[in-house]
């Protein structure tokens, strides 16, 4: 979206200045959105797949460890962040540009009627 026609849409009023730097904003987003989950699931998930691997792979083998790490990278890498980013953009636009009072996805989608 950043490189398309919507890349210049400002999240805020025309004269608003950012309260935080891009680095600070990214750090807060990371810590608030993923911190707790990563602390638990990024450790437990590879171990789970190591002890219960998919595709009839033998338990506690090198192949099971490789699959466990691959699944963890898939679930906690760029793929997961992309899924979080899509609704975040809609909610941010609704809250900062349209001045809606709620941060719910239902409020962000208000006015998008299916006919």
């Amino acid at each position: 979206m950043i490189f398309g026609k919507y890349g210049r849409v400002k999240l805020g009023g025309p004269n608003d200045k950012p309260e935080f730097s891009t680095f600070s904003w990214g750090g807060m987003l990371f810590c608030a959105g993923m911190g707790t989950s990563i602390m638990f699931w990024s450790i437990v998930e590879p171990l789970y797949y190591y002890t219960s691997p998919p595709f009839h792979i033998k338990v506690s083998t090198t192949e099971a460890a490789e699959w466990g790490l691959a699944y963890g990278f898939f679930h906690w890498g760029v793929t997961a962040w992309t899924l979080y980013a899509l609704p975040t953009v809609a909610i941010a636009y609704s809250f900062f540009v349209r001045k809606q009072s709620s941060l719910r996805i239902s409020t962000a989608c208000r006015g998008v009627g299916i006919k």
Side-chain angles (χ1 to χ4, degrees), residues 3-27:
F3 298 112
K5 66 180 182 178
Y6 299 109
R8 296 201 179 267
V9 173
K10 186 175 182 180
L11 296 177
N15 299 321
D16 288 350
K17 300 284 185 216
E19 185 175 349
F20 301 100
S21 70
T22 302
F23 183 77
S24 293
W25 180 83

Side-chain angles (χ1 to χ4, degrees), residues 32-103:
M34 299 292 289
T36 304
S37 297
I38 286 175
M39 291 300 292
F40 181 75
W41 286 111
S42 67
I43 303 299
V44 172
E45 188 174 28
L47 293 174
Y48 171 76
Y49 287 118
Y50 180 69
T51 59
S52 302
F55 309 121
H56 305 292
I57 297 171
K58 292 186 180 183
V59 175
S60 301
T61 62
T62 302
E63 189 177 12
E66 290 171 355
W67 271 102
L69 290 173
Y71 268 56
F73 290 146
F74 177 75
H75 289 149
W76 297 105
V78 174
T79 309
W81 279 90
T82 303
L83 293 174
Y84 291 125
L86 291 173
T88 301
V89 169
I91 292 168
Y93 182 81
S94 168
F95 188 78
F96 290 110
V97 177
R98 295 180 65 204
K99 303 296 184 196
Q100 297 290 326
S101 61
S102 173
L103 293 172

